[in-house]
């Protein structure tokens, strides 16, 4: 996890808020550093994490995780991390007989499917075990990323329904958290992606948006992060609803600074 | 105006956006109007995935249609959180027909002549999720539209009210929702949110140390002010055009052709090669 990002979000692994949906989105840049941040954050917070990883392999997240101080292999072995490696297990849908539907069963369906098998996989992975010996704090679902589900043939409404059910079970019933990444297509007209992004934005409590700089690539400033807290309109709220910072990604950390205050420029 | 939104019957649309959420206003309005609350829980299992048999038959649409056939006569407020969910899952025409049937019940009283109580339907709609077609259809069904916005941390509601046979009214009301979901109306954005000029940066006059003169003397200023612009259509010019005086006609061109000029009207530029 990145300590500077924790400061900006005013949170630490010990006192993170529960029952929240966090939306990560990126536009014209790669927002996966946010996924790595939250993965290591919640593992350090002693949460039971279910990670639906559809983009990269397990070893990729493991290598980055080690730079951030978490060992995914050990977390998986002791049962703290349930990892669905989409790239590998997608093939199992076709070549292995399953007793119950595979989480990615929609790949086999010709017509528009739904993500009920995936939801059931997540629910079974994160439901509290009666023996309770492990003592994890609360369950967390992490998805990287949801836009690829649209590319695989699902409709935006099916993905929104999946997140709705995850929210109802994980956030409301089990008091856990959900973190999802969606790409913003930006200039490209992608109606389904826009519906997905806007629909999730309305359901989220916190939106982190990584954007490339409007002027193009830069060696010292990799992008801009906009943080939007969605809070009810309260008169006594002193905190800002929205903050914008620029960032630079280094080997083991990400440094954040106010706009125009990059150390390279000052 | 905001607190009397539900006085009129019909459909009230609450349009919110990602930046200015409307759910707390919906809850505040429900709290204000409801004496007795019936809560239909479609949050946990709207699509009946758990198949426990607890789900109401017909899903959310079935529940809404059941409200059309109510037999009790008191006024009722139906709050929908959210209409966007219904619009994403149902065809727009079906939803509009159901909303029309529910919200205009009081215009067709039952056969025994007894009056039916007013029905208010309060629906939360997320603006960015839908195209102009469905938004326009719901908008035309609605008696009142409340669009949420705001500035500098202060929320506002723009209320567009269409009453039959009257001019539509358009008002903006600043408000905030207190932690117990009561509605607090305000006059305008509160002063503490207005941007203060930074006292640390001294104001510098850019005209102070220049190497050229930007100022005008009194005489120059008078001369400048009394100058008429050449293409300005003043009354003098209008007079001159209406009564042209030959002696003061437009300017003349004096042309003395020299030896090499060959004024050929058919080829003035001398470049035709026929």
């Amino acid at each position: 996890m990145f300590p500077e990002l924790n400061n900006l979000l005013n949170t630490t692994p010990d006192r993170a808020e529960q029952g929240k949906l966090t939306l990560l989105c990126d536009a014209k840049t790669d927002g996966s550093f946010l996924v790595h941040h939250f993965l290591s954050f919640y593992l350090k917070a002693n949460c039971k994490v279910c990670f639906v990883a559809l983009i990269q392999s397990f070893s990729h997240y493991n290598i980055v995780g080690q730079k951030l101080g978490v060992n995914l292999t050990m977390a998986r072995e002791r049962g703290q991390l349930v990892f669905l490696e989409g790239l590998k297990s997608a093939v199992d849908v076709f070549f292995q007989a399953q007793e119950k539907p595979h989480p990615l069963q929609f790949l086999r369906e010709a017509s528009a499917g739904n993500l009920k098998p995936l939801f059931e996989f997540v629910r079974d992975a994160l439901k509290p075990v009666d023996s309770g010996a492990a003592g994890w704090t609360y369950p967390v679902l992490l998805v990287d990323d949801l836009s690829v589900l649209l590319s695989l043939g699902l409709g935006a409404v099916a993905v929104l329904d999946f997140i709705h059910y995850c929210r109802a079970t994980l956030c409301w019933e089990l008091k856990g958290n959900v973190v999802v990444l969606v790409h913003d297509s930006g200039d490209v007209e992608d109606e389904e992606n826009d519906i997905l992004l806007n629909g999730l934005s309305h359901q989220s409590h916190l939106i982190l948006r990584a954007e490339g700089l409007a002027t193009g690539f830069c060696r010292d400033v990799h992008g801009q992060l906009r943080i939007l807290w969605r809070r009810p309109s309260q008169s006594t709220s002193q905190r800002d609803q929205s903050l914008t910072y620029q960032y630079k990604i280094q080997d083991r950390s990400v440094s954040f600074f106010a706009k125009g205050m990059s150390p390279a420029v000052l | 105006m905001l607190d009397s939104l539900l006085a009129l019957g019909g459909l009230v649309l609450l349009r919110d956006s990602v930046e200015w959420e409307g759910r707390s206003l919906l809850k505040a309005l429900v709290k204000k109007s409801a004496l007795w609350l019936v809560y239909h829980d479609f949050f946990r299992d709207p699509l009946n995935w758990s198949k426990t048999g607890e789900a109401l038959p017909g899903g959310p649409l079935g529940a809404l249609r059941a409200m059309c056939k109510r037999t009790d006569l008191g006024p009722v407020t139906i709050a929908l959180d959210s209409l966007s969910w219904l619009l994403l899952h149902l065809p727009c025409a079906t939803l509009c027909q159901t909303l029309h049937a529910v919200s205009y019940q009081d215009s067709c009283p039952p056969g025994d002549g007894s009056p039916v109580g007013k029905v208010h339907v309060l629906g939360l709609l997320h603006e960015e999720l839908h195209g102009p077609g469905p938004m326009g259809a719901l908008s035309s069904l609605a008696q009142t539209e409340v669009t949420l916005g705001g500035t500098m941390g202060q929320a506002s509601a723009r209320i567009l009210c269409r009453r039959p046979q009257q001019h539509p009214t358009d008002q903006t009301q600043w408000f905030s929702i207190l932690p117990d979901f009561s509605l607090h109306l305000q006059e305008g954005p509160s002063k503490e949110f207005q941007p203060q000029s930074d006292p640390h940066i001294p104001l510098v006059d850019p005209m102070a140390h220049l190497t050229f003169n930007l100022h005008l003397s009194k005489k120059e200023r008078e001369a400048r002010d009394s100058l008429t612009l050449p293409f300005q259509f003043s009354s003098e010019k209008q007079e001159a055009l209406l009564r042209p005086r030959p002696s003061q006609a437009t300017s003349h061109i004096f042309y003395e052709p020299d030896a090499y000029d060959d004024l050929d009207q058919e080829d003035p530029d001398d470049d035709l090669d026929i």
Side-chain angles (χ1 to χ4, degrees):
Chain A
M1 64 176 189
F2 308 123
E4 285 189 41
L5 184 53
N6 285 343
N7 291 339
L8 293 183
L9 298 175
N10 198 20
T11 179
T12 59
D14 318 319
R15 51 179 188 87
E17 288 183 310
Q18 289 177 241
K20 304 289 178 197
L21 168 64
T22 302
L23 173 65
L24 311 173
C25 64
D26 57 15
K28 292 194 201 165
T29 189
D30 183 16
S32 56
F33 70 97
L34 295 168
V35 174
H36 295 296
H37 164 81
F38 281 102
L39 177 61
S40 54
F41 179 91
Y42 284 117
L43 284 174
K44 285 188 180 172
N46 211 26
C47 297
K48 181 142 190 210
V49 177
C50 176
F51 190 3
V52 177
L54 302 169
I55 299 293
Q56 300 279 9
S57 63
F58 178 80
S59 51
H60 170 87
Y61 294 104
N62 198 17
I63 291 168
V64 180
Q66 279 170 0
K67 290 187 188 175
L68 301 181
V70 287
N71 188 329
L72 296 193
T73 315
M74 278 190 55
R76 191 163 64 169
E77 278 167 14
R78 62 173 182 255
Q80 188 188 8
L81 174 66
V82 176
F83 194 95
L84 175 66
E85 193 170 343
L87 292 171
K88 232 168 57 169
S89 69
V91 188
D92 296 339
V93 177
F94 299 95
F95 295 120
Q96 280 185 21
Q98 307 270 330
E99 293 109 20
K100 55 178 191 169
H102 189 278
L104 302 178
Q105 189 65 31
F106 67 89
L107 291 171
R108 284 219 78 154
E109 286 160 23
S111 59
N114 64 28
L115 285 168
K116 187 169 163 213
L118 185 59
F119 164 68
E120 284 168 353
F121 169 83
V122 169
R123 187 194 56 199
D124 295 339
L126 289 176
K127 69 181 177 208
V129 181
D130 287 334
S131 58
W136 310 119
T137 45
Y138 50 88
V140 172
L141 168 66
L142 200 56
V143 184
D144 179 19
D145 60 55
L146 287 178
S147 298
V148 78
L149 293 173
L150 297 180
S151 311
L152 290 171
L154 283 168
V157 178
V159 183
L160 284 173
D161 288 337
F162 164 68
I163 294 295
H164 178 103
Y165 271 88
C166 290
R167 238 179 5 116
T169 309
L170 297 177
C171 296
W172 183 76
E173 206 179 303
L174 299 175
K175 306 281 183 285
N177 287 343
V178 177
V179 180
V180 297
L181 174 67
V182 178
H183 297 301
D184 187 359
S185 46
D187 302 331
V188 177
E189 290 277 340
D190 189 345
E191 265 186 42
E192 290 279 296
N193 200 50
D194 290 340
I195 292 175
L196 177 63
L197 186 59
N198 289 324
L200 284 176
S201 302
H202 276 283
Q203 295 183 32
S204 317
H205 301 95
L206 174 64
I207 303 177
L208 294 178
R209 190 184 159 91
E211 298 167 341
L213 296 177
T215 43
F217 293 112
C218 171
R219 193 183 57 183
D220 298 301
V221 178
H222 293 149
Q224 181 165 287
L225 183 71
R226 281 208 291 174
I227 307 171
L228 177 65
W229 282 277
R230 296 195 73 241
R231 287 192 218 102
S233 356
Q234 288 170 352
S235 60
T236 52
S237 171
Q238 292 295 323
R239 288 185 290 181
D240 293 320
Q241 265 186 307
S242 161
L243 293 175
T244 305
Y245 289 93
Q246 290 179 338
Y247 62 86
K248 178 177 179 181
I249 302 178
Q250 286 141 350
D251 186 41
R252 285 170 188 270
S253 67
V254 176
S255 57
F256 292 88
F257 34 87
K259 278 204 218 179
M261 305 284 276
S262 160
V265 176
L266 292 173
Chain B
M1 181 80 205
L2 196 58
D3 43 358
S4 58
L5 262 185
L6 299 174
L8 316 153
L11 174 63
V12 178
L13 271 187
L14 212 55
R15 296 165 64 143
D16 72 347
S17 58
V18 173
E19 221 190 314
W20 298 99
E21 58 95 32
R23 187 162 285 122
S24 20
L25 180 60
L26 179 77
K27 290 178 187 170
L29 290 172
V30 167
K31 180 183 164 175
K32 217 175 159 59
S33 69
L35 292 166
W36 181 42
L37 186 67
V38 176
Y39 184 74
H40 293 273
D41 182 10
F42 287 106
F43 175 64
R44 266 184 298 176
D45 193 4
L47 304 171
N48 200 17
W49 278 4
S50 60
K51 295 211 180 346
T52 54
E54 288 173 3
L56 296 166
L61 185 65
L64 204 51
R65 281 186 173 145
M67 292 181 206
C68 299
K69 303 187 189 71
R70 66 193 188 102
T71 49
D72 62 320
L73 301 174
V76 69
T77 302
I78 304 171
L80 295 166
D81 180 6
S82 60
L83 271 177
S84 286
W85 192 96
L86 290 169
L87 203 51
L88 284 176
H89 288 83
L90 302 168
C92 182
T94 312
L95 179 62
C96 289
Q97 283 165 0
T98 313
L99 281 176
H100 187 272
V102 169
S103 34
Y104 291 98
Q105 279 182 56
D106 54 345
S107 56
C108 340
D112 60 359
S114 54
V116 179
K118 269 198 149 64
V119 179
H120 313 104
V121 181
L122 188 56
L124 182 63
L125 194 62
H126 305 310
E127 281 192 317
E128 302 102 333
L129 285 180
H130 311 290
M135 292 294 284
L138 285 173
S139 200
S140 63
L141 267 184
Q143 289 270 357
T144 313
E145 271 181 70
V146 181
T147 307
L148 284 143
T151 177
M152 293 185 293
Q154 184 67 44
S156 72
R158 187 179 159 213
I159 306 159
L160 187 61
C161 193
R162 282 185 280 261
R163 276 175 263 214
Q165 294 164 2
Q166 284 182 32
H167 282 297
T169 57
D170 187 352
Q171 289 181 355
T172 301
Q173 172 77 58
W174 300 89
F175 70 96
S176 61
I177 312 285
L178 301 173
D180 66 346
F181 291 109
S182 45
L183 192 56
H184 175 52
L185 301 176
Q186 282 161 333
E187 290 303 318
S190 56
K191 293 198 178 51
E192 65 199 63
F193 286 112
Q194 275 163 15
Q196 309 282 345
S197 59
D198 194 339
H200 298 294
I201 299 173
L203 292 167
V204 175
D205 181 15
M207 306 246 281
H209 306 290
L210 294 169
T211 53
F212 47 88
N213 183 23
L214 272 182
H215 300 284
L216 293 171
S217 70
K218 191 160 175 277
K219 221 167 133 185
E220 287 167 342
R221 203 184 300 267
E222 279 169 8
R224 188 187 75 171
D225 288 338
S226 60
L227 194 65
T228 49
L229 296 170
F231 299 106
Q232 197 170 349
F233 195 66
S234 61
S235 54
E236 290 94 0
K237 195 149 184 184
Q238 191 180 17
E239 293 288 309
L241 285 172
L242 287 172
R243 294 183 195 84
R245 288 175 205 158
S247 57
Q248 289 174 7
T250 51
S251 52
H252 285 286
I253 300 173
F254 297 98
Y255 175 59
E256 303 279 349
D258 58 22
Y260 301 102
D261 272 334
D262 178 17
L263 280 172
D264 181 2
Q265 287 302 319
E266 289 189 0
D267 183 16
D269 296 326
D270 204 15
D271 57 357
L272 289 176
D273 189 16
I274 303 167

